[in-house]
Amino acid sequence: VTGRWTTGGQEVFVLVQNGNTVTGTIVGRPGEPTYKIVDGVIRGNQIHFFVLHDDPADPEVRANDGFPFHNVAKGTFTEDEITVSGSRENTKIREYKMVLKRIRN
């Protein structure tokens, strides 16, 4: 899954696969926080990772009394598409589902 991925919006997921582990970043528009992708695992065509919200300027971190938190992402992938769903860890806050398409350039 190493590469750049997008939902077609402004955010770009930059993923790095090393064996069965995945890390990376989510880069948004200028002035928006960059999020870290941590503790990612791949098994077969299944993917699972956490998005770390730890920037004190992040409005969601401020709304969480300044405490960092993780969003969970899990789903499946092919060569050109990753489908994931999740929410804030251990909650149903901000549940989502998204399809990421590989950026080819």
Side-chain angles (χ1 to χ4, degrees):
V1 296
T2 294
R4 295 167 23 100
W5 302 80
T6 184
T7 60
Q10 296 292 322
E11 295 179 330
V12 174
F13 288 62
V14 181
L15 301 178
V16 178
Q17 180 179 352
N18 185 4
N20 289 334
T21 64
V22 176
T23 58
T25 56
I26 302 171
V27 181
R29 291 175 273 220
E32 290 184 346
T34 296
Y35 303 104
K36 297 176 192 110
I37 296 173
V38 298
D39 300 329
V41 177
I42 290 179
R43 289 195 177 93
N45 75 331
Q46 305 287 310
I47 187 167
H48 181 274
F49 58 85
F50 295 94
V51 178
L52 176 61
H53 289 251
D54 65 349
D55 185 332
D58 181 343
E60 291 190 65
V61 172
R62 284 195 298 245
N64 197 39
D65 293 326
F67 294 104
F69 62 90
H70 290 100
N71 282 341
V72 174
K74 60 183 174 178
T76 60
F77 66 92
T78 65
E79 177 70 22
D80 292 314
E81 190 172 282
I82 301 173
T83 302
V84 292
S85 61
S87 64
R88 189 167 297 172
E89 189 174 24
N90 300 319
T91 72
K92 291 188 180 237
I93 296 172
R94 292 195 49 148
E95 288 183 303
Y96 68 90
K97 182 174 184 174
M98 68 175 70
V99 177
L100 302 169
K101 303 279 187 178
R102 184 181 293 275
I103 299 171
R104 299 221 182 249
N105 356 0

